[in-house]
Amino acid sequence: MKKTIFVFGLLIIALLLLFQLSKYAMISGNLNFEITIAIIAVVFFFVGIYINKKSLHKRKIASTEINHQKIKDLEISKREYEVLQAISEGLSNKEIAYKLFLSESTIKTHVSSLLIKLNAKRRTQALQIAKDFNII
Amino acid sequence: MKKTIFVFGLLIIALLLLFQLSKYAMISGNLNFEITIAIIAVVFFFVGIYINKKSLHKRKIASTEINHQKIKDLEISKREYEVLQAISEGLSNKEIAYKLFLSESTIKTHVSSLLIKLNAKRRTQALQIAKDFNII
DNA sequence: AGTGGTTTGGTACTTTAGTATGAACAGTTT
DNA sequence: AAACTGTTCATACTAAAGTACCAAACCACT
């Protein structure tokens, strides 16, 4: 967040400098009008692209990147989260147990607490909720 | 595609008009320098945002749109597809039956054929496979 | 050294999911 | 008309998922 403010500050300063520079260059007759306008246009065109990419990138992160804070808020532990990921891969409890070197009853324990924490009745519902929360 | 070319053509014409307009306004002394520069800057800033949004939007659609051809290739019927969507919402067979005004055993029939067609052993695995195929 | 949270695992049970098979009906195609 | 496909539903069964309750072991903390 501090970085964003810093970058934007620099950007505004750079633009003001460009503004003044082009003005004086024009007045002193070193630069003709079309070139000045063109430079301004190109610079602001790329500034527009840059700003837009930044904001879209953030939105993209929000919609596809994992919300680790939400995982903490829901008090989902490491093991439970591993089980949740395995469920999203379509594995059965037995397969998850084999993958994580655990017994099936341990997996059932984890699944049950996951369902409670996600307020779901089934594993498929848990998946849907987890996707809504951007935690898988 | 034709539409895109048309829009870009219009955009370029509008910009050239703006360019000429600002030039004559400047020369005739109706507009001072700062305002001209500011208008150009603002216009190109938004043009940059617009173009960037267009290109990003296309990419976004391409990665999330449903592959209807794949559904046909897998020979998944309308009803089966409705059931698949309901499964992805985390519903149980009973809930799906209620939603579609069918009996639970009908849903089981549909689910079974879905599992065969998607080559899945469980509904959760069917979801994962369906997502891979971009059909949900 | 005890507290609290996590992880692990067990038993016994209920519920849900999934399979197999058969059957009736509607609409489409050959 | 006959064959085909999709949809509907039933019964009977097995497998998997999920609940409830308990308990031991571990780890980090202070």
Side-chain angles (χ1 to χ4, degrees), chain B residues 51-64:
Chain B
I51 287 179
N52 198 246
K53 191 162 271 173
K54 275 281 163 188
S55 66
L56 278 182
H57 189 57
K58 271 177 203 162
R59 252 188 285 158
K60 206 175 175 183
I61 285 174
S63 68
T64 57

Side-chain angles (χ1 to χ4, degrees), chain B residues 75-132:
Chain B
E75 295 181 316
I76 293 172
S77 69
K78 273 155 285 158
R79 270 312 209 196
E80 285 164 357
Y81 187 64
E82 288 182 277
V83 171
L84 180 60
Q85 287 178 312
I87 290 174
S88 78
E89 289 167 18
L91 303 181
S92 69
N93 289 338
K94 200 173 282 180
E95 287 167 342
I96 297 170
Y98 182 80
K99 187 181 179 183
L100 301 180
F101 306 103
L102 297 174
S103 79
E104 194 184 339
S105 75
T106 304
I107 304 302
K108 284 187 179 187
T109 306
H110 289 321
V111 171
S112 285
S113 20
L114 269 174
L115 295 183
I116 291 168
K117 289 172 183 177
L118 288 171
N119 194 29
K121 285 173 189 164
R122 281 163 294 283
R123 48 170 65 208
T124 46
Q125 197 181 3
L127 287 179
Q128 185 254 309
I129 292 169
K131 257 156 217 152
D132 264 15

